[in-house]
């Protein structure tokens, strides 16, 4: 009998599986590549909400968990996955610069925001005011990390590449059956795909479509991620990821021309040089109405669990909440009420 069946292998699945692998649990992972939000995400770890100059939820705790976590994954896979990368916020007015300084005086933000304003020297960008820099930032090569980890698991014969059929799950008192498999626990980490999951479809996952374009520009020569109305994220080799859009109405997986036009318009409002569009990607972010992840155990089945709803900050949130769920399952440590799915019990 296996210890775990894990359904889905985006950031949620990887974050949990890393604990299982390190503790030498037996498990298999089902992945059909139907959900793409983790693979197309920007990959930035950034502890500050740059629209309002406020700390992200539990940002310091998450940062302190996330960086060692990804470094360990990097060492395990023998691939460079963690890149230190400055993030600078483009100010649109003197008033915004003043608001930045006010934010710098707040206790938590003192550790996260630099008080030294940066003057733009890159003629490829139209920056009439200054930049503000966020501390402790960088980029995780998400798509490379997920692909490399799947290859690692594949060599251990722990991957099953097929769509998961919920109708074939039978829950017993102390184990779960799925086709010819038996496991003590099953974890669902299928992102927006949870809407089709009969165990957890009652949870208020709304979904938010995000699209990016990948551009090439030999003249841009950015060494930092720039946040304006959109992000420009350097990927190396004169390639940049630009985005993202936020659309909570369209739940289709396809790229759209409207998103392309939106991103180009925002980009060209402050980009002075030529560029070539190399690619466009889209994914449905698993977002929740109260902006907190969905973590916990099914109210009726003690061996059926969920890790979902990481939203647009999954890079930071994933390692922390996965660790809490692992300790909850293994050691019965209660989950924080703000992440526990018990908060939505009335929706069943």
């Amino acid at each position: 009998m296996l210890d775990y069946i894990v359904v889905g292998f985006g950031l949620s699945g990887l974050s949990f599986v890393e604990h299982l692998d390190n503790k030498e649990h037996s498990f298999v992972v089902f992945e059909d590549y139907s959900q793409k939000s983790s693979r197309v995400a920007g990959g930035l770890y950034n502890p500050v909400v740059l629209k309002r100059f406020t700390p992200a939820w539990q940002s310091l705790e998450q940062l302190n968990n996330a960086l060692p976590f990804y470094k360990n994954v990097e060492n395990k896979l023998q691939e460079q996955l963690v890149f230190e990368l400055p993030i600078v916020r483009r100010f649109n007015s003197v008033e915004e610069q003043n608001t930045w300084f006010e934010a710098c005086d707040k206790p938590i933000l003192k550790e996260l925001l630099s008080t030294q304003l940066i003057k733009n020297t890159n003629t490829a960008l139209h920056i009439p005011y200054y930049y503000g820099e966020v501390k402790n930032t960088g980029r995780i090569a998400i798509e490379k990390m997920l692909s490399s980890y799947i290859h690692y698991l594949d060599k251990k014969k722990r991957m099953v590449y097929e769509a998961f059929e919920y109708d074939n799950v039978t829950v017993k008192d102390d184990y779960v059956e799925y086709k010819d498999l038996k496991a003590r626990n099953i974890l669902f980490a299928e992102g927006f795909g949870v809407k089709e999951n009969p165990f957890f479809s009652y949870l208020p996952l709304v979904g938010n479509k995000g699209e990016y374009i990948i551009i090439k520009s030999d003249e841009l020569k950015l060494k930092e991620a720039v946040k304006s109305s959109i992000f420009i994220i350097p990927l190396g080799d004169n390639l940049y990821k630009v985005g993202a859009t936020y659309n909570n109405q369209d739940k289709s997986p396809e790229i759209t021309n409207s998103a392309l036009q939106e991103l180009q318009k925002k980009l060209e409002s402050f980009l002075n040089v030529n560029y070539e569009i190399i690619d466009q990607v889209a994914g449905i972010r698993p977002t929740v109405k109260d902006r907190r992840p969905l973590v916990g155990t099914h109210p009726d089945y003690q061996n059926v669990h969920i890790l979902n709803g990481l939203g647009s900050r999954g890079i930071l949130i994933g390692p922390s909440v996965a660790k809490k769920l692992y300790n909850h399952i293994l050691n019965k440590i209660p989950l924080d009420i703000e992440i526990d799915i018990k908060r939505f019990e009335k929706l069943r």
Side-chain angles (χ1 to χ4, degrees):
M1 183 183 295
L2 296 167
D3 292 329
Y4 288 85
I5 294 170
V6 177
V7 181
F9 200 75
L11 278 171
S12 293
L14 185 150
S15 297
F16 194 81
V17 161
E18 172 70 353
H19 290 289
L20 300 184
D21 192 58
N22 288 343
K23 300 294 184 182
E24 298 185 345
H25 290 281
S26 57
F27 63 91
V28 295
V29 177
F30 283 80
E31 175 57 58
D32 65 356
Y33 297 99
S34 62
Q35 301 302 314
K36 299 178 181 177
S37 64
S38 292
R39 288 174 175 81
V40 306
L44 294 179
Y45 57 89
N46 165 29
V48 179
V49 180
L50 287 175
K51 185 176 182 180
R52 300 183 295 273
F53 308 153
T54 55
W57 171 66
Q58 295 186 350
S59 55
L60 290 179
E61 176 192 339
Q62 291 167 5
L63 196 61
N64 290 335
N65 276 304
L67 286 182
F69 176 90
Y70 293 120
K71 286 290 187 182
N72 288 337
V73 173
E74 189 176 58
N75 291 335
K76 173 183 289 188
L77 301 178
Q78 293 296 292
E79 297 267 15
Q80 185 177 5
L81 304 170
V82 183
F83 299 85
E84 291 186 6
L85 181 68
I87 295 178
V88 293
R89 167 63 148 82
R90 173 184 184 256
F91 296 129
N92 296 303
S93 65
V94 173
E95 287 75 21
E96 272 197 338
Q97 292 176 182
N98 293 337
T99 303
W100 177 272
F101 279 120
E102 290 171 10
C104 289
D105 287 335
K106 296 177 180 177
I108 295 179
L109 290 170
K110 281 183 178 178
E111 300 181 46
L112 302 177
L113 301 181
S114 171
T115 57
Q116 300 296 315
L117 295 185
I118 300 171
K119 186 174 180 61
N120 176 55
T121 58
N122 187 342
T123 57
L125 296 175
H126 175 63
I127 311 290
Y129 299 96
Y130 286 88
Y131 288 126
E133 183 175 357
V134 186
K135 302 176 186 176
N136 304 309
T137 60
R139 181 176 70 88
I140 307 298
I142 303 182
E143 189 171 13
K144 182 179 180 182
M145 177 175 69
L146 290 169
S147 298
S148 297
Y149 210 116
I150 284 174
H151 181 66
Y152 166 80
L153 294 176
D154 202 31
K155 289 193 292 186
K156 292 186 163 193
K157 303 197 182 308
R158 288 182 169 167
M159 292 299 304
V160 180
Y161 302 103
E162 62 184 48
F164 192 83
E165 299 169 8
Y166 302 107
D167 291 344
N168 285 318
V169 177
T170 303
V171 183
K172 304 290 187 178
D173 287 341
D174 54 356
Y175 67 94
V176 175
E177 286 184 351
Y178 179 72
K179 295 185 178 180
D180 59 346
L181 297 173
K182 290 183 179 180
R184 293 179 180 85
N185 295 279
I186 186 167
L187 171 77
F188 291 104
E190 68 269 69
F192 191 66
V194 78
K195 301 302 287 184
E196 307 299 323
N197 185 326
F199 294 101
F200 295 110
S201 58
Y202 71 92
L203 294 171
L205 193 81
V206 292
N208 189 312
K209 185 172 182 175
E211 298 190 50
Y212 284 91
I213 54 174
I214 313 299
I215 68 168
K216 183 170 186 179
S217 174
D218 297 337
E219 303 169 77
L220 183 49
K221 301 192 183 307
L222 270 184
K223 295 182 179 179
E224 58 279 310
V226 174
K227 173 69 170 81
S228 183
S229 55
I230 50 172
F231 265 109
I232 305 179
I233 305 168
L235 303 176
D237 298 322
N238 294 323
L239 295 174
Y240 303 87
K241 182 169 276 190
V242 176
T245 59
Y246 292 83
N247 186 336
N248 58 16
Q249 301 301 314
D250 180 8
K251 302 299 192 293
S252 68
E254 291 83 18
I255 60 173
T256 62
N257 190 55
S258 60
L260 173 63
Q261 291 178 350
E262 177 187 340
L263 292 173
Q264 284 190 277
K265 182 178 180 180
K266 290 180 176 179
L267 175 64
E268 290 169 9
S269 70
F270 67 107
L271 184 69
N272 295 329
V273 294
N274 295 323
Y275 66 92
E276 175 188 0
I277 296 176
I278 302 297
D279 197 8
Q280 182 178 354
V281 293
I284 310 297
R285 304 178 189 90
T287 53
V288 187
K289 289 182 178 179
D290 66 359
R291 299 177 181 272
R292 297 292 178 264
L294 299 171
V295 185
T297 299
H298 192 280
D300 295 333
Y301 307 115
Q302 64 177 1
N303 41 21
V304 178
H305 316 283
I306 186 170
L307 181 58
N308 208 317
L310 300 188
S312 60
R313 292 189 175 268
I315 281 286
L316 274 182
I317 295 173
S320 293
V321 295
K323 183 178 180 180
K324 289 177 180 179
L325 180 59
Y326 176 79
N327 287 328
H328 170 69
I329 297 170
L330 195 69
N331 303 314
K332 307 303 179 187
I333 297 174
L335 292 166
D336 301 337
I337 189 65
E338 61 183 334
I339 67 171
D340 197 328
I341 59 171
K342 287 180 180 178
R343 70 193 191 273
F344 296 120
E345 183 65 19
K346 292 181 180 179
L347 298 180
R348 289 181 67 213

